[in-house]
Amino acid sequence: MNTVKGKLYLIPTTLGDNEPLEVLPISVKRIIEQTDTFIVENEKTARRFIKKITPNKPQPSLNMFHLNKFTDVSELPGFLSPCLNGTNIGLLSEAGCPGVADPGADIVKLAHQKNIKVVPLVGPSSILMAIMSSGMNGQSFAFNGYLPIDKGERRSEIKRLERLSFEYNQSQLFIETPYRNNKMLEDLCHTLEKNTDISVACDITLSTEFIKTQTANEWKKNMVDLHKRPTIFIIHKS
């Protein structure tokens, strides 16, 4: 008789150091209580999150596979072996939703290839929450990850995204390394046309949350300190 395959649960985490059940549904807690095998980016932070949301769960019983930039692609099939043997697995992101701007997408793709049921759980996505609160085009938008570090290349990419936004009426989202956020906002203000809208969504779901949309020209007059604060930038030229 064939063994019934386990499921791959995509388990969201918080976007910062707040209480999990303030931003996550009780279903996330229930799935973690029932799961002992996890695929994680960082074992230390994953264990801390699991302990916080299910304090009575025995930590020694947890089995963890590490999926990050150092993981060799040849290791991935082995991560899903428990599923093939009937055991459920939880995929945890470092922050937010697995598979979205996250290396977990590789393991999800492999799960589909192996006919393993993938179950996404509800949780905060900084990308979606930023576009929701921006007032920009929620029907057509693109997430572009990180922009180039080189000053000339960055300026060219910003102008390219501005053109795309205008031509297709498409809002353009991107991120920056948190300690370079202030420089990013300055570059946007001095590169974009003065009436192009810039939305800044910072510390989403935290007590220090800041979300503001205004033109590049208005931002020049009202700069904000974004240093080391997780931020989503969105631009839109109408």
Side-chain angles (χ1 to χ4, degrees):
M1 180 180 295
N2 293 330
T3 301
V4 176
K5 293 177 182 176
K7 299 174 183 178
L8 177 65
Y9 287 101
L10 310 187
I11 302 176
T13 61
T14 58
L15 296 175
D17 193 24
N18 44 8
E19 288 300 318
L21 294 182
E22 288 183 2
V23 293
L24 297 171
I26 196 67
S27 57
V28 172
K29 176 181 173 67
R30 185 176 67 251
I31 292 300
I32 291 178
E33 286 175 339
Q34 298 170 356
T35 305
D36 290 324
T37 301
F38 296 90
I39 301 171
V40 305
E41 284 188 68
N42 181 290
E43 182 169 344
K44 183 177 180 181
T45 55
R47 286 183 178 275
R48 185 185 305 130
F49 170 73
I50 292 170
K51 182 71 174 177
K52 198 167 187 178
I53 198 168
T54 55
N56 295 325
K57 188 174 185 65
Q59 290 279 325
S61 68
L62 302 182
N63 179 32
M64 295 197 173
F65 298 101
H66 303 142
L67 177 60
N68 50 48
K69 62 182 179 181
F70 302 110
T71 305
D72 192 291
V73 67
S74 65
E75 298 178 52
L76 300 188
F79 293 179
L80 292 174
S81 292
C83 269
L84 299 178
N85 294 320
T87 298
N88 293 333
I89 295 179
L91 174 63
L92 283 171
S93 178
E94 276 293 277
C97 298
V100 181
D102 172 83
D106 293 333
I107 206 74
V108 174
K109 181 179 181 180
L110 187 59
H112 285 297
Q113 292 171 355
K114 293 180 176 293
N115 292 315
I116 293 169
K117 184 175 177 59
V118 175
V119 183
L121 302 181
V122 175
S125 165
S126 59
I127 295 170
L128 288 179
M129 296 177 82
I131 193 69
M132 285 167 60
S133 56
S134 68
M136 295 184 179
N137 193 349
Q139 296 190 67
S140 180
F141 58 92
F143 177 66
N144 298 276
Y146 292 93
L147 302 194
I149 296 176
D150 177 81
K151 186 175 181 179
E153 292 178 2
R154 172 181 293 209
R155 176 179 172 80
S156 295
E157 181 65 3
I158 290 172
K159 294 301 292 183
R160 187 185 75 84
L161 294 176
E162 185 180 39
R163 286 194 301 272
L164 282 176
S165 176
F166 180 71
E167 291 173 9
Y168 297 100
N169 188 28
Q170 184 181 68
S171 300
Q172 302 293 327
L173 295 78
F174 45 89
I175 54 177
E176 178 55 286
T177 303
Y179 67 83
R180 289 201 294 259
N181 279 338
N182 287 340
K183 186 64 170 62
M184 170 61 82
L185 185 55
E186 291 175 9
D187 288 348
L188 292 175
C189 290
H190 291 93
T191 303
L192 297 168
E193 294 187 17
K194 65 179 182 179
N195 290 324
T196 294
D197 284 325
I198 303 171
S199 184
V200 172
C202 172
D203 291 344
I204 293 175
T205 73
L206 303 181
S207 61
T208 53
E209 180 179 85
F210 173 85
I211 301 172
K212 181 75 175 178
T213 298
Q214 54 189 0
T215 66
N217 194 49
E218 290 170 330
W219 274 112
K220 287 180 183 178
K221 304 171 187 176
N222 301 283
M223 298 297 282
V224 62
D225 185 11
L226 304 172
H227 187 58
K228 292 187 177 180
R229 301 170 68 186
T231 302
I232 301 281
F233 296 93
I234 315 176
I235 64 172
H236 195 112
K237 176 179 169 59
S238 301

